[in-house]
């Protein structure tokens, strides 16, 4: 608990940075797509609550900076975001009310937010690759615990992991991430043993695993110790870095989408999700751990802090983009479901039904937020423990 409070300001500042960048980029995607189709924007807000600063542009859009610096939102005229919006039209800003756009145009505006998140992740991953390159690692089995999934599958000490489910392994983080997000799924692991490749099928089980920053998560594990050896370092030119950014983002989207799908089907607990408290705690601990590396100069530590935060920002951006695509009213995916109904039936969902669905969605989202936040609080150790 003491460590959490001692790094509290760092966690809060890291959270403000991460959510500020990710959510504002998300909303900017919506705004730019809406403006492209001539939609009237009532407001674009950075943060929530009362305004610290506000001005109107020539189209009567209110640009606001608010007191609570966590994310932001864009509000189009005639857009039904919340229950009270159904049937309400504000005609002051210049442009077309949102409901006057075609179904296709509205759908593109809704998709533009998540797409902006994915583009942000691509840019960050590409930028990191351009600046730092990519370490190439040889990942071998250093220990096999008796009675675990790896032992049952036939893993042996000294086996080198070449690929998982046909995807070549190039670093330790890739191996850990794939295993941790595959609880209960059969993984085909290609190993090199005595100079020859062999394929073994292993099924990770859910276990409490320390992420190296003092957080314990219930994730997939196969009960092995990994022996990691640096074998090279890949450098990228501009084109190569861009390609790497795209590939990395697609991989993260695939793994994150897999976990969200498992949660929806009940195969993964909801406490795998991290809310603002968990994200801030993770970022704060990563920053603190980097600043405490006394063997390198402060300037280099600050550079590493920036790179670490950007890397976390890319993962958070993908997560928020995918989460918003879930078909839950009040999220982009829920509004896309309304649009699908309208495209098929030829008429919009009645305002009363929209209002009811948005109310239910808001309650579900609030309940989920409370549940996830409570799990994050427990994991941070605020309530007790070391």
């Amino acid at each position: 608990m003491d460590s959490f409070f001692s790094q509290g300001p760092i966690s809060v500042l890291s959270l403000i940075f991460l959510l500020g960048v990710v959510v504002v980029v998300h909303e900017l995607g919506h705004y730019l797509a809406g403006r492209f189709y001539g939609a009237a924007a009532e407001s674009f807000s950075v943060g929530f609550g009362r305004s610290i600063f506000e001005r109107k542009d020539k189209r009567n859009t209110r640009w606001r900076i608010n007191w609570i610096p966590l994310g932001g939102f864009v509000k189009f005229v005639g857009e039904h975001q919340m229950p009270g919006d159904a049937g309400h039209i504000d005609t002051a800003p210049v442009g077309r009310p949102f409901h006057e756009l075609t179904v296709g145009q509205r759908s593109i505006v809704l998709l533009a937010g998540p797409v902006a998140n994915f583009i942000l992740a691509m840019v960050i991953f590409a930028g990191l690759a351009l600046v730092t390159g990519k370490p190439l690692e040889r990942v071998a089995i250093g220990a096999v615990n008796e009675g675990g999934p790896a032992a049952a599958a036939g893993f042996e000490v000294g086996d080198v992991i070449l690929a998982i489910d046909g995807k070549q392994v190039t670093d330790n983080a890739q191996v850990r991430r794939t295993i941790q997000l595959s609880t209960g799924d059969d993984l085909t692991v290609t190993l090199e043993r005595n100079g020859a490749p062999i394929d073994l099928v292993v099924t990770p089980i859910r276990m409490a695993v320390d992420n190296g920053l003092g957080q314990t998560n219930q994730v997939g594990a196969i009960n092995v110790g990994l022996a990691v050896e640096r074998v090279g370092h890949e450098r990228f030119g501009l084109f190569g870095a861009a390609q790497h950014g795209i590939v990395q983002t697609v991989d993260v989207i695939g793994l994150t989408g897999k976990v969200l799908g498992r949660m929806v089907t009940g195969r993964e607990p909801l406490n795998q999700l991290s809310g603002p408290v968990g994200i801030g705690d993770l970022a704060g601990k990563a920053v603190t751990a980097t600043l405490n590396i006394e063997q390198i100069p402060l300037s280099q530590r600050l550079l590493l802090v920036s790179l670490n935060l950007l890397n976390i920002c890319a993962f958070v951006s993908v997560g928020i983009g995918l989460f918003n695509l879930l078909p839950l009213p009040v999220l982009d995916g829920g509004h896309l479901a309304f649009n699908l109904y309208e495209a098929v039936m030829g008429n919009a969902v009645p305002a009363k039904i929209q209002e009811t669905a948005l109310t239910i969605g808001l309650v579900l989202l609030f309940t989920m937020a409370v549940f996830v936040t409570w799990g994050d609080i427990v994991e941070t150790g605020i309530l007790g423990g070391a």
Side-chain angles (χ1 to χ4, degrees):
M1 178 164 55
D2 293 338
S3 64
F4 176 83
F5 284 111
S6 66
Q7 69 174 24
I10 294 177
S11 296
V12 171
L13 290 174
S14 299
L15 178 63
I16 289 173
F17 167 76
L18 291 172
L19 290 189
V21 171
V22 171
V23 177
V24 168
V25 166
H26 178 97
E27 298 301 330
L28 190 61
H30 288 315
Y31 174 79
L32 292 176
R35 290 298 308 122
F36 179 80
Y37 290 116
E42 190 276 329
S43 63
F44 189 106
S45 298
V46 178
F48 297 90
R50 297 178 63 86
S51 297
I52 301 173
F53 169 82
E54 180 176 326
R55 65 176 289 271
K56 283 189 177 183
D57 62 19
K58 62 182 181 180
R59 305 186 69 85
N60 281 337
T61 298
R62 299 164 63 205
W63 293 84
R64 306 169 60 197
I65 299 177
N66 300 329
W67 278 106
I68 304 175
L70 295 175
F73 62 94
V74 61
K75 176 68 170 66
F76 292 107
V77 172
E79 183 183 15
H80 299 163
Q81 293 181 339
M82 305 296 286
D85 294 335
H88 175 74
I89 304 295
D90 182 355
T91 58
V94 176
R96 302 161 59 192
F98 190 73
H99 69 279
E100 291 186 3
L101 301 183
T102 67
V103 173
Q105 291 171 342
R106 277 182 273 134
S107 297
I108 290 174
V109 174
L110 290 168
L111 287 170
V115 169
N117 285 134
F118 302 149
I119 292 174
L120 173 62
M122 291 178 189
V123 170
I124 291 176
F125 285 136
L128 291 175
L130 191 62
V131 172
T132 67
K134 177 185 176 182
L136 300 177
E137 296 173 335
R138 179 180 181 270
V139 185
I141 304 299
V144 180
N145 298 334
E146 290 186 15
F155 282 63
E156 296 180 3
V157 173
D159 291 343
V160 178
I161 302 176
L162 302 178
I164 300 179
D165 281 347
K167 184 171 181 58
Q168 182 182 2
V169 165
T170 57
D171 60 74
N172 172 47
Q174 176 191 356
V175 173
R176 293 183 181 277
R177 189 162 60 240
T178 302
I179 292 173
Q180 290 178 356
L181 300 180
S182 301
T183 301
D185 291 342
D186 290 341
L187 296 177
T188 300
V189 182
T190 303
L191 303 168
E192 180 184 302
R193 179 181 297 173
N194 299 324
I198 63 169
D199 286 338
L200 298 178
V201 177
V202 64
T203 306
I205 58 174
R206 184 171 288 109
M207 294 181 60
V209 176
D210 191 305
N211 67 1
L213 294 172
Q215 288 183 328
T216 301
N217 305 113
Q218 295 287 334
V219 295
I222 60 173
N223 281 13
V224 296
L226 298 178
V228 183
E229 178 187 357
R230 179 73 67 87
V231 294
H233 196 91
E234 185 177 3
R235 290 291 180 182
F236 297 96
L238 190 59
F239 178 78
Q243 186 178 35
H244 174 81
I246 293 172
V247 171
Q248 178 84 342
T249 301
V250 171
D251 286 346
V252 175
I253 288 173
L255 287 172
T256 307
K258 176 182 177 181
V259 173
L260 287 175
R262 290 164 59 91
M263 289 180 183
V264 170
T265 58
R267 299 182 62 202
E268 202 77 37
L270 285 177
N271 60 13
Q272 291 293 86
L273 286 174
S274 289
V277 173
I279 294 171
D281 184 55
L282 173 66
K285 286 177 175 174
V287 170
T288 302
T290 304
L291 291 176
N292 287 337
I293 303 175
E294 298 180 353
Q295 295 86 349
I296 60 177
L298 177 60
S299 59
Q300 190 171 345
R301 279 178 273 167
L302 292 175
L303 174 61
L304 288 175
V305 164
S306 301
L307 297 177
N308 286 339
L309 281 178
L310 285 173
N311 189 56
I312 295 173
C313 185
F315 280 92
V316 171
S317 190
V318 169
I320 286 181
L322 282 177
F323 182 76
N324 271 277
L325 289 175
L326 293 177
L328 182 68
V330 311
L331 296 180
D332 296 329
H335 292 287
L336 284 168
F338 289 156
N339 287 355
L340 178 61
Y341 173 92
E342 183 176 347
V344 172
M345 303 302 294
N347 295 301
V349 176
K352 187 63 177 177
I353 294 178
Q354 286 192 50
E355 184 174 2
T356 301
L358 290 169
T359 300
I360 294 172
L362 192 62
V363 171
L364 289 174
L365 196 61
F366 178 77
T367 303
M368 184 185 299
V370 170
F371 180 82
V372 170
T373 300
W374 175 256
D376 287 343
I377 290 173
V378 172
E379 285 185 2
T380 61
I382 295 176
L383 301 180

